[in-house]
Amino acid sequence: MKKHFLITAGPTREAIDPVRYLTNRSSGKMGYALAGAAAHEGHRVTLISGPCDLDVPEGVDFLPVESAKEMYDAVEHYISKTDIAIFAAAVADYRPASVPEQKIKKEADSLTLELVKNPDILGSARKKFAFTGTLVGFAAETENALTNARSKLVRKHCDLIVANDVSRSDIGFDSSENEVTLVYPDHELKLPKENKYQLALDIIEKSLEINALRQ
Amino acid sequence: MKKHFLITAGPTREAIDPVRYLTNRSSGKMGYALAGAAAHEGHRVTLISGPCDLDVPEGVDFLPVESAKEMYDAVEHYISKTDIAIFAAAVADYRPASVPEQKIKKEADSLTLELVKNPDILGSARKKFAFTGTLVGFAAETENALTNARSKLVRKHCDLIVANDVSRSDIGFDSSENEVTLVYPDHELKLPKENKYQLALDIIEKSLEINALRQ
């Protein structure tokens, strides 16, 4: 049975001034691989992506965004129309509290940047967007990956969290391979290290299994 | 007469923690065009570049760096061996004062990021690196472009500043075209809007003229 996937990908950029911004090391490879794998299997895919230097997979509805706020708005708009939402984007947790219209001059020897929390997209899926479909999140951690992933699963009412350790340079953000553990409400499943496309096929399959069990 | 060019390009990335960083919208296109144009004309080129998604021009000695501090060290090491230094990189002016080894958790509703000034690479060329060759800087401004460029020229003892207005979206950082004014110690020369490679050829030519006059 063909489903409609909503997939987020990439980093977000949080403007400090017209030229400077905060971001993170997400390459978008995992999210694009998920979108490509789901489309390849014949599913409908809406890909909401922060700035990435990747080709958009064929057959995917593509929505480019820049900031966490823009991604939040796009997800809010599309999520209710979809069956399975996979949030693979590395959304910036904080943004500058205010953004001047002109470039900040570098006169002072030090500078204090006040940051405020961005809206929590994954955490809003159930509570604010009232999404009842299958909800899959990612947890990129540098320590206590599984404990943090399980806590996220419970707090945000997810069906599955894909946990990975981004402190390792051979896997994760900028690499083509990944080694993850799937955290379910009642068990965990460690997948072998594999390329992101093969991993994407596995995650799509597991999401469809969860979705089928819920019907 | 063939010369040795040192060219810096791209943005720099200043780590906030293992996954987050500060950066800016520089694409590196201008610096890579300069390196390509100089190499094409038969000059020797050392290109010191922050993270860019661009192909390294043929025949160029390439030195990738990430942070402003790394770029500073690389320039310090190579500049005395070169005849003409063109600093086209958009070096981050500030970096976080301290960088935790683990990813910062997003528990607090707000966060204060303390930033300190990065070493001034262009300003160090004459004073700290004792560079006596031809020195060309860039000034990317969103207001008072020419006044700021002239002030930079004088303070940093440059032979030429290439000034452009990055508040315009049709030129500058992410675009393929640029429209700049060349600021000399005794006059200014506004160049027509042109693609970055043609502009690069013009800047290489003007740098060689200045270098020849000095001999």
Side-chain angles (χ1 to χ4, degrees), chain B residues 183-195:
Chain B
V183 179
Y184 289 85
D186 55 359
H187 70 288
E188 282 160 20
L189 179 63
K190 187 169 191 309
L191 297 182
K193 181 170 165 180
E194 52 191 358
N195 72 58

Side-chain angles (χ1 to χ4, degrees), chain A residues 19-23 25 53 66 93-94 102-103 106 108-109 111-115 117 140 142, chain B residues 19-23 25 53 66 93-94 102-103 106 108-109 111-115 117 140-142:
Chain A
V19 296
R20 300 177 177 97
Y21 60 91
L22 292 172
T23 188
R25 294 179 192 278
D53 278 290
E66 182 160 310
D93 299 316
Y94 294 93
Q102 303 297 342
K103 190 177 161 186
K106 53 166 179 177
D109 280 342
L111 194 72
T112 301
L113 202 57
E114 297 294 344
L115 306 177
K117 218 170 186 174
T142 56
Chain B
V19 296
R20 300 176 176 98
Y21 60 91
L22 291 172
T23 190
R25 295 180 190 275
D53 278 290
E66 182 160 310
D93 299 315
Y94 294 94
Q102 303 296 342
K103 190 177 162 186
K106 51 165 182 178
D109 280 343
L111 194 72
T112 301
L113 202 56
E114 297 293 345
L115 306 177
K117 218 169 186 173
E141 304 287 347
T142 55

Side-chain angles (χ1 to χ4, degrees), chain A residues 29 164-179 193-196:
Chain A
K29 283 177 190 161
N164 68 332
D165 179 348
V166 290
S167 68
R168 287 173 55 183
S169 64
D170 59 325
I171 55 169
F173 274 174
D174 215 14
S175 106
S176 300
E177 291 198 307
N178 211 343
E179 184 178 324
K193 181 170 164 180
E194 53 192 357
N195 73 57
K196 286 185 177 173

Side-chain angles (χ1 to χ4, degrees), chain A residues 7-194:
Chain A
I7 295 170
T8 69
T12 63
R13 287 183 183 174
E14 308 302 318
I16 298 172
D17 68 17
V19 296
R20 300 177 177 97
Y21 60 91
L22 292 172
T23 188
N24 62 62
R25 294 179 192 278
S26 169
S27 63
K29 283 177 190 161
M30 191 67 239
Y32 279 60
L34 285 162
H40 181 78
E41 304 277 291
H43 301 287
R44 184 168 171 202
V45 179
T46 300
L47 173 62
I48 300 175
S49 172
C52 294
D53 278 290
L54 297 173
D55 293 328
V56 177
E58 216 171 315
V60 160
D61 294 333
F62 182 64
L63 232 119
V65 297
E66 182 160 310
S67 65
K69 184 63 173 64
E70 283 171 26
M71 188 172 278
Y72 180 96
D73 291 344
V75 169
E76 182 173 31
H77 189 261
Y78 286 96
I79 196 168
S80 64
K81 304 176 186 81
T82 63
D83 304 297
I84 300 173
I86 307 182
F87 291 167
V91 181
D93 299 316
Y94 294 93
R95 68 176 185 280
S98 64
V99 182
E101 272 179 44
Q102 303 297 342
K103 190 177 161 186
I104 299 167
K105 301 299 293 177
K106 53 166 179 177
E107 274 139 22
D109 280 342
S110 64
L111 194 72
T112 301
L113 202 57
E114 297 294 344
L115 306 177
V116 294
K117 218 170 186 174
N118 271 323
D120 175 8
I121 302 177
L122 182 61
S124 299
R126 299 288 189 217
K127 293 174 197 169
K128 293 207 173 139
F129 309 151
F131 179 60
T132 55
T134 301
L135 184 61
V136 180
F138 273 70
E141 304 287 347
T142 56
E143 53 183 347
N144 306 325
L146 289 190
T147 310
N148 289 328
R150 181 158 301 287
S151 157
K152 194 171 193 172
L153 177 101
V154 173
R155 276 183 291 121
K156 304 188 179 181
H157 306 281
C158 298
D159 296 299
L160 178 65
I161 292 281
V162 182
N164 68 332
D165 179 348
V166 290
S167 68
R168 287 173 55 183
S169 64
D170 59 325
I171 55 169
F173 274 174
D174 215 14
S175 106
S176 300
E177 291 198 307
N178 211 343
E179 184 178 324
V180 305
T181 299
L182 301 184
V183 179
Y184 290 83
D186 54 358
H187 69 291
E188 282 160 21
L189 179 64
K190 187 170 190 308
L191 296 182
K193 181 170 164 180
E194 53 192 357

